[in-house]
Amino acid sequence: DAKTTQPTSMDCAEGRAANLPCNHSTISGNEYVYWYRQIHSQGPQYIIHGLKNNETNEMASLIITEDRKSSTLILPHATLRDTAVYYCIVRVAPINNFNKFYFGSGTKLNVKP
Amino acid sequence: AAGVIQSPRHLIKEKRETATLKCYPIPRHDTVYWYQQGPGQDPQFLISFYEKMQSDKGSIPDRFSAQQFSDYHSELNMSSLELGDSALYFCASSLDRTEAFFGQGTRLTVV
């Protein structure tokens, strides 16, 4: 699976959009970008994933650059409850036996009042 | 909606003892993953099962073993426990190997 690079930490004001970047310059054509977050020792929570098109769900939007070497997770209106470590994970399509997610270091997002 | 259930939530064991952690996946999910998260560390992949067969293996010590049963629940068995095994252990499940949903974890403390 491709390696990802994320900033160690970011701050965001409550109510503002939080934009979390991720670099995955070695991504292959069949690898998806997944985002998870972990709120203080709770189980990681799935947020969103995509292959090459931008994706949006009730939690967030995922913007993937045209060359797919980087992506941005957008939380449109951050709240204090969004304070967490956000992980960007690149994973091959679930064929054969590629049944694992590798967590990198993640970005600690601090949402401040 | 039903989530991944892990038991017990907390477990205290002494060195050299054995521990068994259980995971009940979301109904109809066919894949189970196990992760270990030490203090201040990121989750580390241990092992996964797809349709009751081991499908992938990560940094799982030889002292650990796991299996998935006919009802799809999974157990992680840990023997000869060491102080360094103290960690959060997460189980996750997915359907058809897509996005994984995690349980709340078991906190294992080895004293």
Side-chain angles (χ1 to χ4, degrees), chain A residues 34 36 38 41-46 49 85 87 91 94-106, chain B residues 31 33 35 37 41-45 48 50 55-58 88 90 96-104 107:
Chain A
Y34 282 77
Y36 280 79
Q38 188 174 28
S41 297
Q42 295 181 20
Q45 179 187 22
Y46 166 78
H49 76 282
V85 177
Y87 294 98
R91 179 193 186 217
I95 59 173
N96 298 326
N97 290 318
F98 296 103
N99 292 328
K100 56 184 180 286
F101 289 84
Y102 282 114
F103 288 83
S105 297
Chain B
T31 305
Y33 313 76
Y35 286 80
Q37 186 172 28
Q41 297 180 2
D42 303 304
Q44 298 295 314
F45 172 73
S48 64
Y50 171 65
S55 60
D56 219 332
K57 206 168 180 179
L88 273 168
F90 291 107
D96 201 23
R97 296 161 289 176
T98 56
E99 61 268 23
F101 295 89
F102 284 76
Q104 289 307 297
R107 183 176 294 279

Side-chain angles (χ1 to χ4, degrees), chain B residues 36 46 57-65 77 82 85 89:
Chain B
Q36 177 191 57
L46 292 178
K57 206 168 180 179
S59 50
I60 184 169
D62 291 340
R63 299 178 289 108
F64 294 7
S65 65
N77 297 293
E82 302 173 355
D85 296 329
Y89 290 84

Side-chain angles (χ1 to χ4, degrees), chain A:
Chain A
D1 292 340
K3 180 180 169 58
T4 62
T5 304
Q6 299 177 249
T8 304
S9 65
M10 292 181 64
D11 291 338
C12 178
E14 189 177 19
R16 304 297 294 270
N19 297 282
L20 292 95
C22 178
N23 284 319
H24 31 80
S25 58
T26 59
I27 193 169
S28 301
N30 64 345
E31 289 181 315
Y32 287 73
V33 180
Y34 282 77
W35 283 84
Y36 280 79
R37 72 180 183 184
Q38 188 174 28
I39 299 172
H40 189 58
S41 297
Q42 295 181 20
Q45 179 187 22
Y46 166 78
I47 301 173
I48 200 168
H49 76 282
L51 182 61
K52 47 184 158 183
N53 297 324
N54 297 338
E55 302 287 344
T56 295
N57 63 20
E58 64 279 3
M59 287 184 68
S61 295
L62 173 61
I63 308 298
I64 302 174
T65 57
E66 194 169 339
D67 63 8
R68 303 208 324 120
K69 294 184 185 300
S70 65
S71 61
T72 301
L73 177 74
I74 301 172
L75 307 179
H77 304 287
T79 70
L80 298 178
R81 287 177 293 183
D82 292 322
T83 292
V85 177
Y86 287 76
Y87 294 98
C88 168
I89 299 167
V90 173
R91 179 193 186 217
V92 293
I95 59 173
N96 298 326
N97 290 318
F98 296 103
N99 292 328
K100 56 184 180 286
F101 289 84
Y102 282 114
F103 288 83
S105 297
T107 296
K108 176 67 191 303
L109 176 67
N110 299 299
V111 180
K112 302 187 174 182

